[in-house]
Amino acid sequence: MDRNIYTKNNIYTAGWAITHEDKQKLIHDHFSAMLAQPEARSKDFNWTALSLPEVDLTSLDRPFEEAEILRAINQLPQDKAPGPDGYTDLFFRTCWPIIKLDVIAAINAFYDLRCADFNLLNKANIVLIPKLEGAEDIRDYRPISLIHAVAKIISKIIALRLAPFLNALISPCQSAFIRGRSIYDNYMYVRNVARRFHRNRTQALLFKLVISKAFDTVRWDYLLSLMRHRGFPTRWRNWVSATLTSSSSRVLLNGAPLDPILHGRGLRQGDPLSPLLFILAIDPQHRLLQEATDRGLLSKLGGRIARF
């Protein structure tokens, strides 16, 4: 494994990690730095100027019902690799008549925000999946979290509640993770615009924003502030805060878990709620670009050019 990374002390180290101990230190230092709590924010959005649409979200914090819990369990993949507790979703489906009272009691305790010991159920094992063939650098691996079953069920319940509101909350320009939208539409739109510019010999400058590690480094204070300004109920925000602040992970190296890492920021890849929180977090970026366009700071594509 290549050691060409910046450590948490911003010291550049070169060479190769050969032994298990070297790899263990490299991996643990990398993820500890990436997930560490960031410095306090000194700036914030002018939320009023962003003109965020108002959506009635008061139903998000209604009490959990057995049918809703079972629906979430039935929608989780039944044969995926288990988290630290060793239980797959198939176990919960098969044994539901036997275990349902205990599971419902645990989930209702979370509803009431009795979360002092929720960290015991909110652990995860991180599996590193290569993003490309011949991956060598630690950044060439995607960290997928195998989460404790109860915490994953709770996240799925909350995600299923949030999903119906996304069309109203999120700009139409965001096409991923929302039912009824396709990320391929954005690709086709950009390709057709570029082709039309080229065919008409129209001078234009297109730019692409690459958000590196954004999923893993989302600030929780920003996300909670965003949800407050968008009208999410207090109990809902406290649920999200509890799932974030109680999370911890252990990276698996050759099947063996390394030392625990307490999270201070970021969203876990493998958590059902994470993609929805992420698109909420990045939606203000479009609002900023739209505001800049309305003020004439950015050029808007002409109607004649944009039609196909």
Side-chain angles (χ1 to χ4, degrees):
M1 182 174 289
D2 192 353
R3 299 186 62 175
N4 292 335
I5 67 167
Y6 283 96
T7 68
K8 60 183 177 181
N9 297 321
N10 209 32
I11 300 174
Y12 190 78
T13 59
W16 291 86
I18 304 297
T19 67
H20 182 88
E21 290 72 20
D22 285 345
K23 294 177 183 178
Q24 176 177 318
K25 186 178 187 309
L26 172 68
I27 292 172
H28 190 272
D29 287 352
H30 173 74
F31 285 101
S32 294
M34 184 174 68
L35 300 174
Q37 185 173 352
E39 296 180 0
R41 289 192 301 161
S42 60
K43 299 182 185 300
D44 200 358
F45 284 120
N46 181 344
W47 294 102
T48 304
L50 288 180
S51 302
L52 297 170
E54 294 184 6
V55 181
D56 183 6
L57 302 171
T58 53
S59 62
L60 284 176
D61 63 351
R62 66 186 184 275
F64 297 135
E65 298 178 354
E66 178 182 344
E68 184 180 22
I69 297 172
L70 186 57
R71 176 185 171 223
I73 291 173
N74 288 334
Q75 290 198 21
L76 287 171
Q78 64 177 354
D79 56 353
K80 293 290 186 179
D85 57 344
Y87 292 108
T88 64
D89 186 62
L90 181 60
F91 165 78
F92 288 87
R93 296 191 196 186
T94 305
C95 301
W96 182 247
I98 302 172
I99 64 175
K100 68 177 183 179
L101 293 180
D102 293 325
V103 175
I104 291 172
I107 293 176
N108 282 335
F110 177 83
Y111 173 87
D112 292 330
L113 295 170
R114 289 183 277 128
C115 303
D117 296 319
F118 189 60
N119 61 300
L120 301 176
L121 300 179
N122 200 18
K123 301 177 180 179
N125 292 329
I126 293 179
V127 178
L128 301 179
I129 306 298
K131 293 189 287 187
L132 48 86
E133 187 175 353
E136 296 178 345
D137 192 285
I138 185 64
R139 293 165 296 186
D140 295 336
Y141 293 84
R142 178 175 290 108
I144 302 298
S145 294
L146 308 178
I147 304 169
H148 194 291
V150 172
K152 194 166 187 176
I153 292 170
I154 290 173
S155 288
K156 185 65 175 179
I157 295 169
I158 299 175
L160 288 174
R161 283 195 177 183
L162 176 59
F165 295 94
L166 291 180
N167 269 314
L169 285 167
I170 305 299
S171 162
C173 296
Q174 168 63 40
S175 55
F177 306 124
I178 300 178
R179 184 179 296 275
R181 302 185 191 181
S182 172
I183 195 171
Y184 191 69
D185 291 344
N186 279 11
Y187 163 74
M188 292 295 296
Y189 179 77
V190 173
R191 187 184 70 168
N192 289 338
V193 167
R195 285 182 173 178
R196 177 60 64 90
F197 283 152
H198 179 72
R199 188 181 306 119
N200 293 350
R201 301 190 180 211
T202 303
Q203 294 185 354
L205 177 65
L206 305 179
F207 67 93
K208 175 183 178 182
L209 298 178
V210 179
I211 310 175
S212 177
K213 296 295 181 185
F215 203 92
D216 304 309
T217 55
V218 171
R219 295 185 62 116
W220 298 342
D221 53 354
Y222 157 72
L223 182 58
L224 294 171
S225 175
L226 167 65
M227 290 192 292
R228 178 169 59 85
H229 284 93
R230 302 222 60 177
F232 282 81
T234 301
R235 184 185 295 271
W236 168 276
R237 301 198 309 269
N238 288 336
W239 288 343
V240 174
S241 177
T243 62
L244 295 175
T245 57
S246 64
S247 58
S248 66
S249 299
R250 294 160 66 109
V251 181
L252 297 180
L253 176 59
N254 297 326
L258 305 184
D259 293 336
I261 300 172
L262 298 178
H263 295 212
R265 61 179 172 180
L267 304 170
R268 294 193 291 204
Q269 300 189 49
D271 187 313
L273 183 60
S274 291
L276 309 190
L277 294 180
F278 181 70
I279 59 175
L280 276 173
I282 63 173
D283 184 64
Q285 181 186 59
H286 163 71
R287 311 289 177 180
L288 285 173
L289 295 174
Q290 184 63 53
E291 181 67 19
T293 303
D294 293 342
R295 296 187 181 190
L297 302 175
L298 294 176
S299 298
K300 189 174 183 178
L301 291 175
R304 182 178 61 83
I305 296 297
R307 287 197 297 266
F308 304 102

